Amino acid sequence: MAAAVGLATTALMVVAILIGSRRLAHFDAALVGYTFATLFATFGISYRFTIWLQRPPTAMYWKRGWQVFLRPDSLGRNLVQWLKRLGAIFFANSFIWRRGISRGAAHWLVMWGCILASAITFPLVFGWIHFEFTDATFQSYTAVMFGFPVFSFGIHSIPGYLIFHGLVWASFLVIAGVMIAMRRRMVGHDARALQRFGEDFLPLILLYAVSVTGLMLVVSYKWMNGYAYDFLAITHAVTVIGTLLWMPFGKLFHIFQRPAQLGVLFYKDAGRRGEQARCVVCSQEYASLMHIEDLIEVERQLGYRYDFPEGSVDHYQRVCPRCRRLTVAAVQTQLWASAAVPAQPEISAPPSHS
């Protein structure tokens, strides 16, 4: 199934490129390497995302998240809440600012730098957008998107300066974020103890390499008369293609997981509003009944059997965490109390030398 989803998603991307570029009329053949790397990344990301969704816990959250979100009695409230969370969690990164200013700044800068770079690069590579001279004066451009003219701007105008240097601004954001993250990984005691090269350093190195080589291209043609431009272009292509090929297998895959996890928050909201589970030992509420029922089902799917075949209680999850700890302590105490006391060895009196 995952392979079929990956192939279908990749095929849709190919169709979108063909249609958006008007049968490749606006497709730049020099960028074919980027295109094939993107198609490979599309297949890999779709494949891994499908595998991730097939895991019992993820599948349960995915199904329940959509069910509680689309409930007719709370759909309006959920839509409003979704917009708020989209702004606070996704656009503002509130979840990571709470973990520290440096972490929040690094993540926010890298994220927006990558978003800006992607929004510019992929439409250009796929031929979805290109620029044409507006008239014979060659002083203005018209942006053409999917074959339709969208807007015009002067070459030397402020919009033109911002548009043609969009990747420069994106590189500055990414480099600043990477530098903050690198400093934290080098001086932070918690980061130094837990960090791994593949998960923590490699994505930063790749993003830094892409940004710096992209900036060097601008420096080469703007201030160095094109010196070493071909070498820099090949180096930049290698860094970008390498990052795209690695994306489905590394930490950058969380870019596609994180939006799906918004459903967990709606699941928790529905759980707080719904019936609560009461502990069979202390009769106290300790979690939502929906969560406990789903947890029991997921454990059974994973092969964990905590069922009680006899008695009035059917499953161990019906006991709250506090009572589980108390039960373990009580059982240990009973075992120690009932254990036989070992006999003490007899100590003979030392021989007398008098």
Side-chain angles (χ1 to χ4, degrees):
M1 181 179 177
V5 172
L7 290 173
T9 308
T10 308
L12 287 175
M13 179 63 75
V14 172
V15 172
I17 293 173
L18 290 174
I19 295 175
S21 63
R22 296 298 179 101
R23 296 184 180 181
L24 304 181
H26 305 298
F27 183 82
D28 189 350
L31 305 177
V32 69
Y34 295 102
T35 303
F36 277 103
T38 305
L39 292 177
F40 177 85
T42 302
F43 173 82
I45 292 167
S46 304
Y47 180 89
R48 185 177 174 185
F49 197 86
T50 306
I51 294 291
W52 178 60
L53 286 183
Q54 290 176 339
R55 296 176 179 175
T58 313
M60 180 61 74
Y61 271 131
W62 179 263
K63 181 178 70 174
R64 287 281 186 263
W66 281 110
Q67 287 177 344
V68 299
F69 184 81
L70 297 175
R71 284 178 179 172
D73 58 339
S74 55
L75 181 58
R77 176 175 50 195
N78 288 339
L79 285 173
V80 174
Q81 196 66 23
W82 179 77
L83 290 174
K84 290 181 180 178
R85 284 171 175 163
L86 190 67
I89 297 176
F90 183 74
F91 292 110
N93 287 180
S94 60
F95 67 99
I96 200 163
W97 283 99
R98 290 194 290 266
R99 299 164 66 182
I101 295 176
S102 63
R103 297 183 71 160
H107 194 274
W108 191 88
L109 289 169
V110 170
M111 186 196 78
W112 278 107
C114 291
I115 289 176
L116 179 59
S118 300
I120 296 172
T121 303
F122 288 115
L124 288 173
V125 170
F126 298 156
W128 291 348
I129 186 171
H130 68 280
F131 300 95
E132 297 177 351
F133 284 115
T134 305
D135 49 39
T137 61
F138 305 110
Q139 293 301 312
S140 62
Y141 274 119
T142 296
V144 182
M145 187 174 294
F146 302 115
F148 300 100
V150 180
F151 64 93
S152 300
F153 56 90
I155 294 177
H156 302 292
S157 64
I158 294 177
Y161 184 78
L162 294 174
I163 291 173
F164 288 124
H165 292 80
L167 290 177
V168 174
W169 315 131
S171 297
F172 285 151
L173 291 175
V174 173
I175 290 173
V178 168
M179 289 295 98
I180 295 173
M182 280 289 190
R183 180 186 180 280
R184 176 181 166 274
R185 299 206 177 283
M186 292 180 181
V187 303
H189 296 295
D190 56 337
R192 290 167 62 185
L194 300 174
Q195 64 197 2
R196 292 175 294 175
F197 178 80
E199 289 294 315
D200 299 303
F201 280 103
L202 184 57
L204 296 176
I205 292 172
L206 289 173
L207 294 175
Y208 181 81
V210 171
S211 302
V212 169
T213 53
L215 281 180
M216 288 303 298
L217 286 173
V218 179
V219 172
S220 174
Y221 76 76
K222 207 170 186 64
W223 292 298
M224 299 173 64
N225 297 321
Y227 178 77
Y229 187 86
D230 292 340
F231 171 77
L232 291 171
I234 294 174
T235 306
H236 181 65
V238 169
T239 59
V240 173
I241 293 172
T243 303
L244 289 171
L245 297 179
W246 179 77
M247 185 176 289
F249 310 103
K251 188 174 184 178
L252 295 180
F253 181 71
H254 81 280
I255 297 170
F256 307 95
Q257 287 179 305
R258 177 62 65 177
Q261 293 173 348
L262 282 176
V264 176
L265 300 177
F266 292 100
Y267 180 87
K268 292 180 178 178
D269 290 343
R272 282 192 289 268
R273 293 193 298 267
E275 185 179 358
Q276 301 299 301
R278 288 186 178 276
C279 175
V280 294
V281 178
C282 66
S283 301
Q284 297 294 318
E285 295 179 350
Y286 62 100
S288 74
L289 183 60
M290 178 177 66
H291 178 66
I292 296 301
E293 297 290 350
D294 291 342
L295 183 59
I296 292 173
E297 182 179 339
V298 168
E299 286 182 345
R300 287 171 179 167
Q301 292 174 359
L302 292 172
Y304 296 105
R305 300 293 179 184
Y306 298 124
D307 300 84
F308 295 144
E310 300 177 355
S312 58
V313 181
D314 63 331
H315 201 278
Y316 185 61
Q317 292 294 346
R318 308 291 183 193
V319 183
C320 72
R322 177 178 176 275
C323 287
R324 292 177 206 167
R325 293 191 294 270
L326 292 176
T327 302
V328 172
V331 170
Q332 288 180 340
T333 302
Q334 291 177 359
L335 291 175
W336 290 337
S338 61
V341 178
Q344 297 294 323
E346 294 183 359
I347 301 176
S348 58
S352 175
H353 298 284
S354 59

